[in-house]
Amino acid sequence: MTQTRTTLFSRIRNSIFWAPILPQTERERKKFLLNNLILHFRPRTIPEQTLKFTHTWGLGGIAAALVMLLFLTGIMLKFIYEPFPGRAYDSIILLQQDVWFGQFIRNIHHWSANILVVVVFLHMVRVFFTGAFHPPRQFNWIIGLILFFLIIISNFTGYLLPWDQLAFWAITICTSMFEYIPGVGMWLQKLIRGGAEIGPESLKTFFTLHSAIVPACLITLMPFHFWRVRKARGVVTPRSLRDKSEPAVRKVPTVPDLILRELVVALVLIAFILVFSIIFNAPLEDKANPGLSPNPAKAPWYFLGMQELLLHFHPLFAVFIIPIFVIGFLILLPYFKYDSDVTGFWFISQKGRRMAMVSAFCAVIAMPTWIIADEFFIDFTAWLPGPPTVISNGLLPVVIVAVVVIGFYLLIKKKYAATKNEALQAVFVLLLVSFIILTLTGIWFRGQGMALSWPWQVGVME
Ligand code: HEM
Protein backbone atom coordinates (compact mmCIF):
# COMPACT_ATOMS: atom_id res chain seq x y z
CA MET A 1 0.00 0.00 0.00
CA THR A 2 1.11 3.56 -0.53
CA GLN A 3 3.29 5.15 2.06
CA THR A 4 2.46 8.66 3.22
CA ARG A 5 4.79 11.32 1.84
CA THR A 6 4.57 15.03 2.36
CA THR A 7 5.03 16.01 -1.26
CA LEU A 8 2.82 18.59 -2.87
CA PHE A 9 1.09 15.84 -4.81
CA SER A 10 0.40 13.65 -1.81
CA ARG A 11 -1.05 16.67 -0.01
CA ILE A 12 -3.32 17.39 -2.95
CA ARG A 13 -4.21 13.70 -3.18
CA ASN A 14 -5.18 13.50 0.45
CA SER A 15 -7.02 16.79 0.36
CA ILE A 16 -10.72 17.21 0.96
CA PHE A 17 -11.19 17.88 -2.76
CA TRP A 18 -10.51 14.26 -3.70
CA ALA A 19 -12.35 12.68 -0.80
CA PRO A 20 -15.71 12.30 -2.54
CA ILE A 21 -14.03 10.99 -5.71
CA LEU A 22 -11.57 8.44 -4.33
CA PRO A 23 -12.77 5.07 -2.97
CA GLN A 24 -12.65 4.62 0.77
CA THR A 25 -13.69 0.96 1.30
CA GLU A 26 -12.59 -2.20 -0.53
CA ARG A 27 -16.01 -2.51 -2.19
CA GLU A 28 -15.89 1.08 -3.40
CA ARG A 29 -12.36 0.52 -4.66
CA LYS A 30 -13.44 -2.43 -6.83
CA LYS A 31 -16.38 -0.49 -8.24
CA PHE A 32 -14.12 2.47 -8.89
CA LEU A 33 -11.68 0.33 -10.89
CA LEU A 34 -14.42 -1.27 -12.92
CA ASN A 35 -16.10 2.00 -13.78
CA ASN A 36 -12.99 4.04 -14.40
CA LEU A 37 -12.15 4.42 -18.09
CA ILE A 38 -8.62 5.61 -17.34
CA LEU A 39 -7.83 2.40 -15.50
CA HIS A 40 -8.73 0.35 -18.54
CA PHE A 41 -5.76 1.94 -20.25
CA ARG A 42 -3.47 2.30 -17.25
CA PRO A 43 -2.25 -0.13 -14.59
CA ARG A 44 -3.98 0.34 -11.23
CA THR A 45 -0.66 1.03 -9.53
CA ILE A 46 2.71 2.05 -10.92
CA PRO A 47 6.28 2.04 -9.58
CA GLU A 48 6.91 5.35 -7.83
CA GLN A 49 10.25 5.79 -9.64
CA THR A 50 8.45 6.12 -12.99
CA LEU A 51 6.75 9.31 -11.77
CA LYS A 52 10.01 11.25 -11.99
CA PHE A 53 9.42 13.75 -14.80
CA THR A 54 12.89 13.40 -16.34
CA HIS A 55 12.39 9.66 -16.80
CA THR A 56 9.92 10.08 -19.70
CA TRP A 57 9.73 13.91 -19.90
CA GLY A 58 5.99 13.31 -20.21
CA LEU A 59 6.47 13.12 -23.96
CA GLY A 60 3.95 10.35 -24.67
CA GLY A 61 1.28 12.19 -22.70
CA ILE A 62 2.15 15.49 -24.40
CA ALA A 63 1.80 13.78 -27.79
CA ALA A 64 -1.62 12.41 -26.79
CA ALA A 65 -2.76 15.86 -25.58
CA LEU A 66 -1.59 17.42 -28.85
CA VAL A 67 -3.51 14.86 -30.89
CA MET A 68 -6.67 15.72 -28.90
CA LEU A 69 -6.09 19.44 -29.49
CA LEU A 70 -5.67 18.74 -33.20
CA PHE A 71 -8.92 16.76 -33.38
CA LEU A 72 -10.79 19.54 -31.61
CA THR A 73 -9.45 22.42 -33.72
CA GLY A 74 -9.59 20.30 -36.91
CA ILE A 75 -13.32 19.74 -36.44
CA MET A 76 -13.79 23.51 -35.98
CA LEU A 77 -11.82 24.27 -39.15
CA LYS A 78 -13.98 21.85 -41.15
CA PHE A 79 -16.98 24.16 -40.73
CA ILE A 80 -15.31 26.78 -42.94
CA TYR A 81 -12.70 25.04 -45.11
CA GLU A 82 -13.63 24.02 -48.69
CA PRO A 83 -11.43 21.39 -50.37
CA PHE A 84 -11.56 22.72 -53.97
CA PRO A 85 -8.63 24.52 -55.67
CA GLY A 86 -10.87 27.47 -56.64
CA ARG A 87 -12.15 27.96 -53.10
CA ALA A 88 -9.66 26.46 -50.61
CA TYR A 89 -7.40 29.53 -50.35
CA ASP A 90 -10.34 31.93 -50.16
CA SER A 91 -11.94 29.86 -47.40
CA ILE A 92 -8.73 30.20 -45.36
CA ILE A 93 -8.75 33.98 -45.94
CA LEU A 94 -12.42 34.06 -44.90
CA LEU A 95 -11.59 32.05 -41.78
CA GLN A 96 -8.76 34.39 -40.83
CA GLN A 97 -10.52 37.67 -41.54
CA ASP A 98 -14.26 37.19 -41.02
CA VAL A 99 -14.66 34.36 -38.51
CA TRP A 100 -14.42 35.10 -34.79
CA PHE A 101 -11.18 33.48 -33.49
CA GLY A 102 -10.71 31.86 -36.93
CA GLN A 103 -7.05 32.89 -37.21
CA PHE A 104 -6.48 31.78 -33.60
CA ILE A 105 -7.99 28.31 -34.17
CA ARG A 106 -5.94 27.90 -37.36
CA ASN A 107 -2.78 28.93 -35.47
CA ILE A 108 -3.46 26.39 -32.70
CA HIS A 109 -4.00 23.65 -35.29
CA HIS A 110 -0.88 24.58 -37.25
CA TRP A 111 1.53 24.89 -34.30
CA SER A 112 0.17 21.81 -32.50
CA ALA A 113 0.72 19.74 -35.65
CA ASN A 114 4.31 20.91 -36.05
CA ILE A 115 5.16 20.57 -32.37
CA LEU A 116 3.64 17.08 -32.45
CA VAL A 117 6.20 15.91 -35.02
CA VAL A 118 9.04 17.10 -32.76
CA VAL A 119 7.43 15.64 -29.62
CA VAL A 120 6.78 12.21 -31.15
CA PHE A 121 10.34 12.14 -32.49
CA LEU A 122 11.71 12.99 -29.02
CA HIS A 123 9.41 10.39 -27.43
CA MET A 124 10.86 7.79 -29.79
CA VAL A 125 14.41 8.92 -28.92
CA ARG A 126 13.63 8.69 -25.18
CA VAL A 127 12.19 5.18 -25.63
CA PHE A 128 15.36 4.23 -27.49
CA PHE A 129 17.79 5.67 -24.93
CA THR A 130 16.02 4.07 -21.95
CA GLY A 131 16.04 0.70 -23.73
CA ALA A 132 12.22 0.61 -23.52
CA PHE A 133 11.90 -1.12 -26.89
CA HIS A 134 13.21 -4.43 -25.53
CA PRO A 135 10.78 -7.28 -24.69
CA PRO A 136 8.05 -7.20 -23.43
CA ARG A 137 7.63 -3.80 -25.13
CA GLN A 138 8.88 -4.76 -28.59
CA PHE A 139 5.42 -4.86 -30.15
CA ASN A 140 4.57 -1.45 -28.71
CA TRP A 141 7.68 -0.10 -30.41
CA ILE A 142 6.25 -1.30 -33.75
CA ILE A 143 2.84 0.26 -32.97
CA GLY A 144 4.74 3.46 -32.10
CA LEU A 145 6.51 3.39 -35.47
CA ILE A 146 3.13 3.11 -37.22
CA LEU A 147 1.86 6.05 -35.12
CA PHE A 148 4.90 8.07 -36.16
CA PHE A 149 4.23 7.26 -39.80
CA LEU A 150 0.58 8.34 -39.37
CA ILE A 151 1.61 11.63 -37.75
CA ILE A 152 3.90 12.39 -40.71
CA ILE A 153 1.16 11.46 -43.22
CA SER A 154 -1.29 13.63 -41.31
CA ASN A 155 1.09 16.61 -41.41
CA PHE A 156 2.00 16.05 -45.02
CA THR A 157 -1.62 15.82 -46.23
CA GLY A 158 -2.61 18.86 -44.16
CA TYR A 159 0.23 20.86 -45.71
CA LEU A 160 -1.51 21.07 -49.10
CA LEU A 161 -4.91 22.20 -47.81
CA PRO A 162 -4.38 26.01 -47.63
CA TRP A 163 -3.54 25.87 -51.35
CA ASP A 164 -0.96 28.64 -51.20
CA GLN A 165 2.43 28.80 -52.93
CA LEU A 166 4.19 27.18 -49.97
CA ALA A 167 1.75 24.26 -49.88
CA PHE A 168 1.54 23.69 -53.62
CA TRP A 169 5.27 23.64 -54.28
CA ALA A 170 6.28 21.73 -51.16
CA ILE A 171 3.90 18.92 -52.10
CA THR A 172 5.01 19.08 -55.74
CA ILE A 173 8.66 18.67 -54.63
CA CYS A 174 7.86 15.81 -52.26
CA THR A 175 5.66 13.85 -54.64
CA SER A 176 8.24 14.28 -57.41
CA MET A 177 10.69 12.32 -55.22
CA PHE A 178 8.53 9.22 -55.80
CA GLU A 179 9.85 9.08 -59.38
CA TYR A 180 13.08 7.61 -58.09
CA ILE A 181 11.49 4.58 -56.45
CA PRO A 182 12.26 1.72 -58.82
CA GLY A 183 9.34 -0.08 -60.46
CA VAL A 184 6.32 1.37 -58.67
CA GLY A 185 7.51 4.99 -58.29
CA MET A 186 5.58 6.60 -61.14
CA TRP A 187 2.46 4.61 -60.34
CA LEU A 188 2.67 5.65 -56.68
CA GLN A 189 3.16 9.28 -57.64
CA LYS A 190 0.11 9.23 -59.89
CA LEU A 191 -1.94 7.52 -57.19
CA ILE A 192 -1.05 10.11 -54.57
CA ARG A 193 -1.47 13.09 -56.89
CA GLY A 194 -4.65 11.65 -58.38
CA GLY A 195 -3.20 12.41 -61.84
CA ALA A 196 0.02 13.56 -63.47
CA GLU A 197 0.13 16.93 -61.66
CA ILE A 198 -1.03 18.38 -58.34
CA GLY A 199 -4.63 19.51 -58.94
CA PRO A 200 -8.26 19.12 -57.79
CA GLU A 201 -7.96 15.34 -57.44
CA SER A 202 -4.86 15.70 -55.25
CA LEU A 203 -6.68 18.14 -52.97
CA LYS A 204 -9.64 15.77 -52.66
CA THR A 205 -7.36 12.82 -51.85
CA PHE A 206 -5.28 14.79 -49.36
CA PHE A 207 -8.38 16.19 -47.64
CA THR A 208 -9.96 12.74 -47.28
CA LEU A 209 -6.75 11.27 -45.90
CA HIS A 210 -6.20 14.21 -43.58
CA SER A 211 -9.69 14.60 -42.19
CA ALA A 212 -11.01 11.03 -42.18
CA ILE A 213 -8.64 8.13 -42.84
CA VAL A 214 -5.59 9.15 -40.80
CA PRO A 215 -7.65 10.37 -37.77
CA ALA A 216 -9.59 7.08 -37.85
CA CYS A 217 -6.32 5.11 -37.83
CA LEU A 218 -4.96 7.25 -34.98
CA ILE A 219 -8.11 6.84 -32.90
CA THR A 220 -7.87 3.08 -33.36
CA LEU A 221 -4.16 2.70 -32.72
CA MET A 222 -3.58 5.12 -29.85
CA PRO A 223 -5.71 3.22 -27.29
CA PHE A 224 -3.94 0.05 -28.41
CA HIS A 225 -0.58 1.74 -27.73
CA PHE A 226 -1.71 2.83 -24.24
CA TRP A 227 -3.13 -0.59 -23.50
CA ARG A 228 0.22 -2.18 -24.38
CA VAL A 229 1.91 0.16 -21.87
CA ARG A 230 -0.63 -1.06 -19.33
CA LYS A 231 0.07 -4.72 -20.23
CA ALA A 232 3.77 -4.07 -19.57
CA ARG A 233 2.74 -2.74 -16.11
CA GLY A 234 3.48 0.88 -16.92
CA VAL A 235 6.52 2.49 -18.45
CA VAL A 236 9.91 0.93 -18.01
CA THR A 237 11.26 1.27 -14.44
CA PRO A 238 14.30 3.54 -14.27
CA ARG A 239 17.44 1.98 -12.90
CA SER A 240 20.42 3.83 -11.51
CA LEU A 241 23.55 3.86 -13.64
CA ARG A 242 25.73 3.54 -10.55
CA ASP A 243 23.77 0.85 -8.78
CA LYS A 244 22.74 -1.72 -11.35
CA SER A 245 20.76 -3.84 -8.91
CA GLU A 246 16.98 -4.07 -9.26
CA PRO A 247 15.35 -1.07 -7.63
CA ALA A 248 13.13 -1.60 -4.59
CA VAL A 249 9.79 -1.02 -6.29
CA ARG A 250 7.36 1.12 -4.30
CA LYS A 251 3.92 1.21 -5.86
CA VAL A 252 1.62 4.24 -5.94
CA PRO A 253 -1.94 4.43 -7.31
CA THR A 254 -2.29 5.69 -10.89
CA VAL A 255 -5.31 7.77 -9.88
CA PRO A 256 -4.52 10.38 -8.68
CA ASP A 257 -0.68 10.23 -8.48
CA LEU A 258 0.00 9.85 -12.19
CA ILE A 259 -3.18 11.40 -13.55
CA LEU A 260 -2.71 14.57 -11.53
CA ARG A 261 0.80 15.02 -12.92
CA GLU A 262 -0.39 14.35 -16.46
CA LEU A 263 -3.13 16.92 -15.98
CA VAL A 264 -0.58 19.53 -14.91
CA VAL A 265 1.65 18.78 -17.92
CA ALA A 266 -1.36 18.95 -20.28
CA LEU A 267 -2.50 22.29 -18.83
CA VAL A 268 0.99 23.81 -19.08
CA LEU A 269 1.22 22.54 -22.67
CA ILE A 270 -2.16 24.00 -23.62
CA ALA A 271 -1.25 27.33 -22.01
CA PHE A 272 2.00 27.36 -23.99
CA ILE A 273 0.27 26.59 -27.30
CA LEU A 274 -2.39 29.24 -26.69
CA VAL A 275 0.19 31.93 -25.94
CA PHE A 276 2.33 30.85 -28.90
CA SER A 277 -0.73 30.98 -31.18
CA ILE A 278 -1.61 34.48 -29.98
CA ILE A 279 1.91 35.72 -30.80
CA PHE A 280 2.72 33.82 -34.02
CA ASN A 281 0.39 33.38 -36.99
CA ALA A 282 0.48 30.24 -39.12
CA PRO A 283 2.14 31.07 -42.46
CA LEU A 284 0.02 31.78 -45.52
CA GLU A 285 1.62 32.89 -48.78
CA ASP A 286 0.01 33.96 -52.07
CA LYS A 287 -2.57 31.71 -53.68
CA ALA A 288 -1.03 28.66 -55.42
CA ASN A 289 0.29 29.45 -58.88
CA PRO A 290 1.33 26.31 -60.80
CA GLY A 291 3.17 28.51 -63.32
CA LEU A 292 5.44 30.27 -60.81
CA SER A 293 7.87 28.17 -58.83
CA PRO A 294 9.38 29.78 -55.71
CA ASN A 295 13.13 29.73 -55.35
CA PRO A 296 14.17 27.85 -53.30
CA ALA A 297 11.32 25.30 -53.57
CA LYS A 298 11.49 23.24 -50.39
CA ALA A 299 9.73 20.19 -49.00
CA PRO A 300 7.98 20.46 -45.59
CA TRP A 301 10.65 20.88 -42.90
CA TYR A 302 10.48 17.25 -41.65
CA PHE A 303 11.43 16.02 -45.14
CA LEU A 304 14.27 18.53 -45.58
CA GLY A 305 16.82 16.03 -44.25
CA MET A 306 15.88 13.79 -47.16
CA GLN A 307 15.88 16.69 -49.63
CA GLU A 308 19.36 17.57 -48.35
CA LEU A 309 20.48 13.95 -48.95
CA LEU A 310 19.37 14.41 -52.57
CA LEU A 311 22.00 17.13 -52.95
CA HIS A 312 24.73 14.72 -51.94
CA PHE A 313 23.70 11.30 -53.27
CA HIS A 314 22.12 9.89 -56.41
CA PRO A 315 18.28 10.04 -55.98
CA LEU A 316 17.98 6.24 -55.94
CA PHE A 317 20.07 6.18 -52.76
CA ALA A 318 18.71 9.42 -51.24
CA VAL A 319 14.99 8.70 -51.50
CA PHE A 320 14.89 4.92 -51.65
CA ILE A 321 17.83 2.81 -50.52
CA ILE A 322 18.90 4.89 -47.49
CA PRO A 323 15.29 5.41 -46.17
CA ILE A 324 14.49 1.71 -46.67
CA PHE A 325 17.62 0.82 -44.72
CA VAL A 326 16.68 3.22 -41.87
CA ILE A 327 13.06 2.00 -41.69
CA GLY A 328 14.21 -1.65 -41.75
CA PHE A 329 16.69 -0.91 -38.95
CA LEU A 330 14.00 0.74 -36.79
CA ILE A 331 11.57 -2.15 -37.29
CA LEU A 332 14.16 -4.79 -36.49
CA LEU A 333 15.74 -2.92 -33.56
CA PRO A 334 13.92 -4.83 -30.77
CA TYR A 335 14.67 -8.17 -32.44
CA PHE A 336 18.49 -7.89 -32.67
CA LYS A 337 20.62 -9.90 -30.26
CA TYR A 338 21.96 -7.82 -27.33
CA ASP A 339 24.75 -8.76 -24.95
CA SER A 340 23.06 -7.64 -21.70
CA ASP A 341 19.75 -6.47 -20.22
CA VAL A 342 19.91 -2.69 -20.51
CA THR A 343 16.21 -1.89 -20.06
CA GLY A 344 15.62 1.11 -17.83
CA PHE A 345 19.12 2.62 -17.91
CA TRP A 346 19.45 5.96 -19.65
CA PHE A 347 22.27 5.49 -22.21
CA ILE A 348 23.00 1.92 -20.96
CA SER A 349 25.82 2.96 -18.60
CA GLN A 350 28.01 5.91 -17.55
CA LYS A 351 30.44 4.89 -20.24
CA GLY A 352 27.59 4.67 -22.77
CA ARG A 353 26.58 8.24 -21.87
CA ARG A 354 30.14 9.52 -22.34
CA MET A 355 30.45 7.69 -25.68
CA ALA A 356 27.12 9.15 -26.82
CA MET A 357 28.38 12.65 -26.07
CA VAL A 358 31.63 12.03 -27.96
CA SER A 359 29.62 10.70 -30.95
CA ALA A 360 27.33 13.75 -30.93
CA PHE A 361 30.39 16.02 -30.86
CA CYS A 362 31.99 14.12 -33.79
CA ALA A 363 28.76 14.49 -35.82
CA VAL A 364 28.57 18.23 -35.07
CA ILE A 365 32.11 18.68 -36.43
CA ALA A 366 32.07 16.16 -39.29
CA MET A 367 28.66 16.83 -40.85
CA PRO A 368 28.99 20.56 -41.62
CA THR A 369 32.56 19.90 -42.84
CA TRP A 370 31.29 17.24 -45.21
CA ILE A 371 28.34 19.38 -46.42
CA ILE A 372 30.67 22.31 -47.21
CA ALA A 373 33.29 20.06 -48.82
CA ASP A 374 30.64 18.37 -50.98
CA GLU A 375 29.22 21.75 -52.01
CA PHE A 376 32.52 23.32 -53.09
CA PHE A 377 35.18 20.66 -53.65
CA ILE A 378 33.92 17.09 -54.06
CA ASP A 379 32.49 16.14 -57.44
CA PHE A 380 32.59 12.38 -58.04
CA THR A 381 30.64 12.69 -61.31
CA ALA A 382 33.28 14.99 -62.84
CA TRP A 383 36.20 13.02 -61.41
CA LEU A 384 34.81 9.68 -62.67
CA PRO A 385 33.03 10.43 -65.97
CA GLY A 386 33.12 6.77 -67.08
CA PRO A 387 30.63 4.89 -64.84
CA PRO A 388 26.92 5.85 -64.63
CA THR A 389 26.06 8.46 -61.99
CA VAL A 390 24.25 5.85 -59.89
CA ILE A 391 27.74 4.39 -59.28
CA SER A 392 29.89 7.55 -59.16
CA ASN A 393 27.41 9.69 -57.22
CA GLY A 394 25.46 6.89 -55.49
CA LEU A 395 27.21 3.66 -54.63
CA LEU A 396 30.68 5.18 -54.25
CA PRO A 397 29.84 7.94 -51.69
CA VAL A 398 27.55 5.52 -49.81
CA VAL A 399 30.38 2.96 -49.55
CA ILE A 400 32.73 5.70 -48.33
CA VAL A 401 30.21 6.78 -45.65
CA ALA A 402 29.67 3.12 -44.64
CA VAL A 403 33.45 2.58 -44.28
CA VAL A 404 33.74 5.73 -42.12
CA VAL A 405 30.83 4.61 -39.89
CA ILE A 406 32.21 1.07 -39.48
CA GLY A 407 35.65 2.55 -38.75
CA PHE A 408 34.07 4.80 -36.11
CA TYR A 409 32.33 1.78 -34.51
CA LEU A 410 35.55 -0.22 -34.27
CA LEU A 411 37.57 2.74 -33.04
CA ILE A 412 35.20 3.84 -30.29
CA LYS A 413 34.60 0.26 -29.15
CA LYS A 414 38.35 -0.28 -28.78
CA LYS A 415 39.11 3.10 -27.22
CA TYR A 416 36.47 2.75 -24.50
CA ALA A 417 36.71 -1.06 -24.15
CA ALA A 418 32.95 -0.87 -24.70
CA THR A 419 30.30 -3.55 -25.04
CA LYS A 420 28.59 -4.14 -28.41
CA ASN A 421 25.48 -2.34 -27.09
CA GLU A 422 27.42 0.75 -26.07
CA ALA A 423 29.31 0.93 -29.37
CA LEU A 424 26.11 0.47 -31.41
CA GLN A 425 24.41 3.18 -29.38
CA ALA A 426 27.36 5.49 -30.15
CA VAL A 427 26.92 4.85 -33.89
CA PHE A 428 23.18 5.48 -33.55
CA VAL A 429 23.89 8.86 -31.91
CA LEU A 430 26.35 9.69 -34.70
CA LEU A 431 23.71 9.00 -37.37
CA LEU A 432 20.87 10.66 -35.42
CA VAL A 433 22.76 13.91 -34.86
CA SER A 434 23.96 13.84 -38.50
CA PHE A 435 20.37 13.58 -39.69
CA ILE A 436 19.29 16.46 -37.43
CA ILE A 437 22.14 18.59 -38.87
CA LEU A 438 21.03 17.70 -42.42
CA THR A 439 17.48 18.81 -41.57
CA LEU A 440 18.64 22.07 -39.96
CA THR A 441 20.86 22.77 -42.97
CA GLY A 442 17.83 22.30 -45.25
CA ILE A 443 15.71 24.63 -43.10
CA TRP A 444 18.14 27.48 -42.46
CA PHE A 445 21.13 27.21 -44.76
CA ARG A 446 19.74 26.53 -48.24
CA GLY A 447 18.81 29.55 -50.34
CA GLN A 448 18.23 30.21 -54.04
CA GLY A 449 18.86 27.17 -56.22
CA MET A 450 19.34 25.22 -52.92
CA ALA A 451 22.86 26.68 -52.67
CA LEU A 452 24.38 27.07 -49.21
CA SER A 453 23.40 30.50 -47.81
CA TRP A 454 23.06 32.30 -44.52
CA PRO A 455 19.64 32.08 -42.85
CA TRP A 456 18.84 35.77 -43.54
CA GLN A 457 19.33 35.19 -47.30
CA VAL A 458 16.97 32.17 -47.47
CA GLY A 459 13.39 32.29 -48.77
CA VAL A 460 13.49 34.82 -51.65
CA MET A 461 10.71 34.36 -54.24
CA GLU A 462 11.60 34.76 -57.90
C1 HEM B 1 0.85 9.63 -31.63
C2 HEM B 1 2.02 9.23 -31.21
C3 HEM B 1 2.29 8.63 -29.85
C4 HEM B 1 1.60 8.78 -28.68
C5 HEM B 1 0.36 9.62 -28.42
C6 HEM B 1 2.28 7.97 -27.68
C7 HEM B 1 1.93 7.89 -26.35
C8 HEM B 1 2.61 7.17 -25.39
C9 HEM B 1 2.37 7.24 -23.96
C10 HEM B 1 1.34 8.13 -23.28
C11 HEM B 1 3.25 6.39 -23.36
C12 HEM B 1 3.45 6.17 -21.86
C13 HEM B 1 4.17 7.38 -21.21
C14 HEM B 1 5.42 7.90 -21.86
O1 HEM B 1 6.30 7.12 -22.25
O2 HEM B 1 5.53 9.14 -21.98
C15 HEM B 1 4.01 5.75 -24.41
C16 HEM B 1 4.96 4.75 -24.19
C17 HEM B 1 5.64 4.10 -25.21
N1 HEM B 1 5.71 4.49 -26.52
FE1 HEM B 1 4.55 5.91 -27.37
N2 HEM B 1 3.35 7.34 -28.28
C18 HEM B 1 3.41 7.72 -29.59
C19 HEM B 1 4.37 7.35 -30.50
C20 HEM B 1 5.38 6.42 -30.27
C21 HEM B 1 6.49 6.14 -31.15
C22 HEM B 1 6.76 6.86 -32.47
C23 HEM B 1 7.21 5.13 -30.58
C24 HEM B 1 8.46 4.43 -31.08
C25 HEM B 1 8.67 4.07 -32.29
C26 HEM B 1 6.57 4.77 -29.33
C27 HEM B 1 6.94 3.74 -28.50
C28 HEM B 1 6.54 3.63 -27.19
C29 HEM B 1 7.00 2.60 -26.27
C30 HEM B 1 7.93 1.41 -26.60
C31 HEM B 1 6.43 2.91 -25.03
C32 HEM B 1 6.67 2.16 -23.71
C33 HEM B 1 7.78 2.93 -23.05
C34 HEM B 1 8.15 2.45 -21.69
O3 HEM B 1 7.65 1.43 -21.25
O4 HEM B 1 9.01 3.13 -21.06
N3 HEM B 1 5.49 5.60 -29.16
N4 HEM B 1 3.62 6.24 -25.61
Side-chain angles (χ1 to χ4, degrees):
M1 204 54 221
T2 334
Q3 302 194 358
T4 316
R5 285 162 294 120
T6 48
T7 61
L8 174 65
F9 278 102
S10 64
R11 260 183 272 146
I12 295 173
R13 196 183 75 212
N14 299 333
S15 74
I16 193 117
F17 172 74
W18 290 97
I21 305 171
L22 291 177
Q24 305 298 322
T25 64
E26 183 64 12
R27 196 159 166 268
E28 278 174 10
R29 194 179 63 77
K30 281 193 180 137
K31 203 170 151 213
F32 178 72
L33 289 181
L34 208 69
N35 293 335
N36 196 313
L37 176 70
I38 295 167
L39 293 176
H40 281 78
F41 290 108
R42 297 301 174 84
R44 188 173 60 82
T45 57
I46 47 162
E48 192 184 28
Q49 293 97 319
T50 57
L51 286 178
K52 197 174 165 207
F53 184 66
T54 51
H55 178 51
T56 64
W57 298 91
L59 290 163
I62 293 176
L66 285 170
V67 172
M68 292 307 138
L69 211 55
L70 282 163
F71 281 164
L72 197 74
T73 48
I75 290 169
M76 291 178 179
L77 293 175
K78 270 188 94 169
F79 283 103
I80 301 293
Y81 179 74
E82 297 186 67
F84 312 101
R87 303 216 290 273
Y89 185 78
D90 297 337
S91 67
I92 297 285
I93 297 284
L94 176 87
L95 174 88
Q96 296 190 161
Q97 293 179 355
D98 295 339
V99 177
W100 271 20
F101 296 108
Q103 173 82 66
F104 184 51
I105 300 294
R106 175 167 184 249
N107 292 351
I108 297 175
H109 197 74
H110 176 87
W111 295 123
S112 301
N114 282 282
I115 294 171
L116 180 62
V117 175
V118 179
V119 167
V120 174
F121 177 76
L122 291 177
H123 172 57
M124 195 164 117
V125 169
R126 135 26 220 159
V127 168
F128 176 82
F129 284 120
T130 53
F133 57 86
H134 290 290
R137 297 176 174 83
Q138 74 277 37
F139 185 49
N140 217 11
W141 170 262
I142 303 291
I143 298 172
L145 286 180
I146 301 172
L147 283 173
F148 191 39
F149 175 72
L150 287 172
I151 296 294
I152 295 290
I153 297 281
S154 178
N155 260 272
F156 180 63
T157 48
Y159 212 96
L160 183 66
L161 303 187
W163 203 254
D164 64 343
Q165 278 287 76
L166 192 70
F168 184 90
W169 287 102
I171 301 302
T172 303
I173 295 284
C174 274
T175 48
S176 66
M177 289 186 196
F178 282 97
E179 280 164 30
Y180 303 111
I181 299 177
V184 294
M186 287 310 286
W187 172 82
L188 214 57
Q189 187 193 68
K190 212 168 160 197
L191 180 78
I192 290 168
R193 287 184 175 175
E197 304 292 338
I198 296 285
E201 288 306 314
S202 331
L203 192 54
K204 209 193 297 173
T205 309
F206 275 53
F207 182 66
T208 311
L209 280 168
H210 184 77
S211 62
I213 297 173
V214 177
C217 294
L218 280 173
I219 285 188
T220 318
L221 264 191
M222 274 172 46
F224 196 26
H225 190 59
F226 304 152
W227 177 70
R228 293 300 307 185
V229 177
R230 185 197 192 291
K231 288 294 277 183
R233 292 169 194 271
V235 295
V236 72
T237 311
R239 292 196 262 174
S240 159
L241 290 176
R242 284 182 192 84
D243 171 20
K244 284 205 166 191
S245 60
E246 272 297 322
V249 178
R250 209 164 67 170
K251 297 276 189 152
V252 290
T254 300
V255 185
D257 281 50
L258 174 63
I259 297 302
L260 209 62
R261 283 168 168 82
E262 289 184 335
L263 216 70
V264 171
V265 173
L267 287 177
V268 171
L269 171 80
I270 291 171
F272 172 76
I273 301 254
L274 295 190
V275 172
F276 199 83
S277 301
I278 289 171
I279 301 172
F280 299 105
N281 281 340
L284 185 70
E285 292 186 359
D286 293 340
K287 193 170 180 166
N289 180 352
L292 176 71
S293 160
N295 188 0
K298 291 188 181 181
W301 66 266
Y302 35 84
F303 285 140
L304 281 179
M306 203 191 277
Q307 197 179 354
E308 181 67 26
L309 275 183
L310 262 174
L311 299 172
H312 304 285
F313 296 104
H314 186 277
L316 178 70
F317 283 85
V319 304
F320 185 65
I321 295 177
I322 296 175
I324 287 282
F325 184 78
V326 172
I327 294 168
F329 170 79
L330 288 175
I331 293 174
L332 295 177
L333 191 66
Y335 304 100
F336 292 139
K337 219 168 165 287
Y338 294 91
D339 37 1
S340 57
D341 173 19
V342 290
T343 311
F345 300 104
W346 267 99
F347 297 107
I348 302 174
S349 60
Q350 293 287 5
K351 194 195 288 174
R353 185 191 295 259
R354 218 171 322 126
M355 287 167 70
M357 278 158 72
V358 170
S359 304
F361 180 73
C362 290
V364 168
I365 300 294
M367 258 337 255
T369 313
W370 175 63
I371 291 172
I372 293 169
D374 199 31
E375 176 93 355
F376 298 110
F377 310 112
I378 303 171
D379 190 352
F380 288 116
T381 324
W383 295 343
L384 298 167
T389 53
V390 69
I391 303 287
S392 60
N393 199 30
L395 192 62
L396 182 64
V398 166
V399 168
I400 292 174
V401 171
V403 168
V404 170
V405 171
I406 294 169
F408 180 83
Y409 170 82
L410 295 174
L411 198 76
I412 200 157
K413 189 166 187 292
K414 188 156 178 250
K415 180 166 169 29
Y416 285 88
T419 62
K420 198 171 104 188
N421 290 359
E422 289 162 340
L424 277 175
Q425 178 184 256
V427 170
F428 183 82
V429 172
L430 186 81
L431 298 178
L432 184 77
V433 176
S434 302
F435 183 72
I436 293 171
I437 292 173
L438 282 177
T439 304
L440 295 180
T441 307
I443 297 173
W444 284 313
F445 296 98
R446 288 286 171 190
Q448 290 205 17
M450 292 304 276
L452 278 181
S453 329
W454 294 110
W456 49 92
Q457 295 169 331
V458 172
V460 188
M461 299 276 290
E462 254 180 2

